[in-house]
Amino acid sequence: MKRIKIFDTTLRDGEQSPGCSMNLKEKIEMARQLEKLGVDIIEAGFAIASPMDHKSVKAIAGAVEHCTVASLARCVKGDIDAAWDAVKDAKHPRIHVFLATSDIHMKYKLQMSREQVLTRISEMVAYAKSLCNDIEFSAEDASRSEHAFLAQCYTNAIAAGATTINVPDTVGYSTPQEMGDLIRYLKANVKGVDSVDISVHCHDDLGMGVSNSLASIMAGATQVECTVNGIGERAGNASLEEVVMALHTRRDFYQAETGINTRQIYRSSKLLSNITGVAIAPSKAIVGANAFAHESGIHQHGVIANAQTYEIMNSAEVGIPQNTMVLGKHSGKHALREKLISMGYELTDEELEPVFVRFKKLADKKKNITGSDIEALVLHRRNQYIGQCQLASHVVNAGHGVPNTSYIQLSRGEELLENVAVGTGPLDASFKAINHMLGVDIKLDSFSLTAVTDGEDAVGEAVVKIIAPNGRSYTGTGLSTDIIESSIRAYVNGINKMMDSAE
Ligand code: KIV
Ligand code: ZN
């Protein structure tokens, strides 16, 4: 079996996708989860991009132990210095330098000749190598670059010290056949290629990011760059869970394996979705709500007789919680901890406490607490208990043909704030009351509500996106069996994030 390295760029390329920005705490939490997932390399950010990016790459470098931590850098000294400063304290640091090599990018974006690009690669890879041993070089827009010139770019990069050469299909234009041919061509024409990893980075503009990555592996690539849930620029990157499960499920065909703990896949996907507020499409392969659901009678009959009739993977293998009735109002902390461990969540006593408090509150309202309910409580613990403002109480008077009013009480430290407002509906009235009491002018950008589990007493998860007066957007999430309460909690959570980031 050939070992394929998984280079996760959720926190860099993924974070560049609209609506997916994360704050420092969230990035560290996600990085820790990626380490549990078993990725080989975490691309933690683009250190030169902003002081916040620099800070978060540095924090992640200090927070993870087993993974290599990379920072992106253009082929310029300032970028490379910033990248090195951010990753140098990591156990395994990497600098990832890139320069575009396609004619269109060189002419219109870089305004550089081929000779200038070749010289810059040699100089800047050598400079990065003088700081760090582990150097990745990416030829941006490689798949649209002239092959012989591209091979020379990689030859120069390897001669200057690159240990990984990355072949990005930056605009998602390539086909699997072409990607495979390109990797074979580079293997035959780049000097020194046998001593380095060949990586691919496939965007999904034509929906072929995963297929292109797999075709590249067949042709000899040894590293794949991907993101959780496939997030990334425009249509996103190759999805980590799809690449990994394709290799795992069809190892007979690919003869390749990764170091991923597949049982952490679902959890990683849920955590990312919970942090960003970007929902996972129900039909999304591997982690979508319908990925293991069988609707038609013929399928259900087949699966009952023998699961393999319609199931090529087992949902437990990717860590999907098994929704049998688990706990109820008489269950204690020990039972909750045991259930969490069986689901892959190992919480400290301090982390368990608020989850247990909310579990008890939920058990008062809901008879059967399922794996999905428990998972939602864990994912929401940091949202509900962190921040300056907490929802203390609310009374909503709503109906058709009457004014909709909302009275809200928020605690902020020792203070108890209150306000009442009239709105076009119960949520509009509640959000207005909160805005008035905090003296903020916040716009609601989007709002969604989903049931975490089935049944009349289902837990509802609300996600709101708010726009702060400075134009920045923040995502808040809230959870309750009462959908108005979950919506108000989500709004308050978004405001807390806004206030945190202003400090
Ligand atoms: O898509 C791309 O080309 C990139 C590079 C910086 C690797 O993200
Ligand atoms: Zn990219």
Side-chain angles (χ1 to χ4, degrees):
M1 287 274 168
K2 171 165 117 169
R3 171 73 159 78
I4 304 299
K5 290 183 184 163
I6 297 295
F7 176 114
D8 180 276
T9 183
T10 306
L11 296 169
R12 199 278 297 169
D13 209 319
E15 213 227 357
Q16 285 171 219
S17 54
C20 287
S21 56
M22 297 171 229
N23 65 31
L24 181 63
K25 269 187 236 152
E26 293 166 339
K27 283 185 182 174
I28 294 173
E29 189 171 8
M30 194 63 212
R32 291 209 166 105
Q33 177 57 30
L34 291 171
E35 182 158 53
K36 277 194 195 146
L37 178 64
V39 308
D40 298 280
I41 302 109
I42 295 175
E43 185 164 52
F46 190 1
I48 193 78
S50 72
M52 188 39 103
D53 272 63
H54 186 277
K55 196 171 165 186
S56 44
V57 177
K58 213 174 177 53
I60 291 168
V64 303
E65 229 183 294
H66 306 294
C67 309
T68 295
V69 178
S71 172
L72 188 64
R74 287 167 300 187
C75 261
V76 289
K77 272 193 170 172
D79 278 37
I80 296 170
D81 288 337
W84 176 237
D85 186 63
V87 297
K88 66 173 189 253
D89 295 328
K91 282 246 163 72
H92 312 282
R94 173 179 292 192
I95 301 176
H96 176 191
V97 286
F98 75 101
L99 190 62
T101 54
S102 63
D103 287 338
I104 187 165
H105 276 234
M106 289 188 293
K107 181 167 176 198
Y108 293 102
K109 193 181 77 172
L110 300 176
Q111 288 159 348
M112 286 170 83
S113 66
R114 287 188 177 188
E115 290 65 36
Q116 286 171 319
V117 164
L118 286 169
T119 308
R120 181 72 72 84
I121 292 170
S122 298
E123 286 174 358
M124 289 302 117
V125 172
Y127 180 63
K129 188 74 176 182
S130 72
L131 303 171
C132 179
N133 206 28
D134 185 344
I135 302 298
E136 172 166 333
F137 169 71
S138 285
E140 191 188 8
D141 208 15
S143 56
R144 294 195 300 167
S145 304
E146 199 257 317
H147 283 20
F149 172 64
L150 183 65
Q152 191 56 52
C153 291
Y154 288 128
T155 299
N156 283 21
I158 294 170
T163 39
T164 302
I165 54 165
N166 183 35
V167 186
D169 182 27
T170 301
V171 289
Y173 181 73
S174 195
T175 67
Q177 180 71 46
E178 284 170 335
M179 230 22 227
D181 288 347
L182 177 56
I183 300 300
R184 277 183 284 273
Y185 175 84
L186 295 174
K187 273 179 83 74
N189 292 283
V190 172
K191 285 201 193 82
V193 72
D194 291 335
S195 60
V196 300
D197 272 311
I198 303 181
S199 171
V200 287
H201 175 111
C202 300
H203 278 272
D204 206 31
D205 298 66
L206 291 172
M208 293 193 280
V210 171
S211 310
N212 284 339
S213 307
L214 294 170
S216 305
I217 290 172
M218 292 292 283
T222 49
Q223 175 178 293
V224 170
E225 304 199 353
C226 46
T227 58
V228 174
N229 296 342
I231 65 169
E233 280 278 2
R234 306 179 309 279
N237 289 71
S239 128
L240 180 148
E241 54 280 4
E242 293 176 25
V243 171
V244 168
M245 287 314 286
L247 292 177
H248 180 74
T249 309
R250 296 305 314 276
R251 49 193 178 275
D252 59 319
F253 180 76
Y254 289 109
Q255 297 290 310
E257 62 188 4
T258 67
I260 296 293
N261 173 0
T262 62
R263 288 180 189 269
Q264 290 288 340
I265 285 181
Y266 182 73
R267 219 186 129 184
S268 309
S269 160
K270 281 294 259 195
L271 178 65
L272 181 68
S273 164
N274 186 265
I275 287 174
T276 58
V278 176
I280 305 164
S283 57
K284 166 84 178 64
I286 318 293
V287 290
N290 295 344
F292 292 91
H294 301 279
E295 188 73 18
S296 94
I298 296 176
H299 287 207
Q300 286 171 351
H301 179 237
V303 168
I304 290 164
N306 179 340
Q308 285 177 8
T309 49
Y310 287 101
E311 276 185 7
I312 57 164
M313 294 167 276
N314 184 326
S315 61
E317 225 176 359
V318 292
I320 295 181
Q322 307 300 295
N323 264 343
T324 48
M325 196 276 280
V326 280
L327 301 175
K329 75 187 219 182
H330 300 297
S331 310
K333 211 182 272 181
H334 183 71
L336 177 63
R337 187 190 285 284
E338 287 299 304
K339 180 63 195 168
L340 284 166
I341 290 173
S342 78
M343 291 165 62
Y345 290 97
E346 289 192 27
L347 270 57
T348 61
D349 288 348
E350 203 189 337
E351 289 167 337
L352 183 66
E353 194 52 42
V355 177
F356 185 62
V357 171
R358 288 195 40 96
F359 164 75
K360 280 289 180 193
K361 279 192 189 152
L362 181 63
D364 274 342
K365 298 185 198 157
K366 194 171 188 292
K367 212 165 128 216
N368 299 334
I369 311 282
T370 65
S372 301
D373 290 322
I374 292 175
E375 178 167 66
L377 291 180
V378 176
L379 287 173
H380 278 262
R381 74 183 189 280
R382 66 181 191 295
N383 287 345
Q384 303 310 313
Y385 288 87
I386 292 172
Q388 302 180 10
C389 300
Q390 301 299 330
L391 177 66
S393 64
H394 68 283
V395 181
V396 168
N397 189 13
H400 177 66
V402 290
N404 287 263
T405 56
S406 175
Y407 166 78
I408 308 265
Q409 272 192 328
L410 289 188
S411 63
R412 187 171 60 183
E414 299 293 297
E415 284 178 289
L416 193 62
L417 309 171
E418 57 178 3
N419 206 293
V420 60
V422 180
T424 52
L427 297 184
D428 183 48
S430 303
F431 298 164
K432 273 189 181 139
I434 294 171
N435 283 3
H436 293 164
M437 102 177 64
L438 296 175
V440 286
D441 180 22
I442 290 164
K443 306 258 174 305
L444 181 68
D445 187 30
S446 65
F447 168 78
S448 70
L449 189 66
T450 30
V452 171
T453 41
D454 298 333
E456 296 122 41
D457 58 357
V459 172
E461 181 185 51
V463 177
V464 299
K465 277 217 162 92
I466 57 169
I467 311 277
N470 65 4
R472 290 194 61 181
S473 68
Y474 298 88
T475 303
T477 56
L479 197 72
S480 173
T481 47
D482 166 353
I483 56 174
I484 293 186
E485 184 184 324
S486 52
S487 310
I488 299 172
R489 284 188 183 281
Y491 196 72
V492 173
N493 179 231
I495 291 180
N496 278 334
K497 286 189 184 173
M498 180 190 87
M499 288 174 169
D500 264 9
S501 75
E503 276 174 359

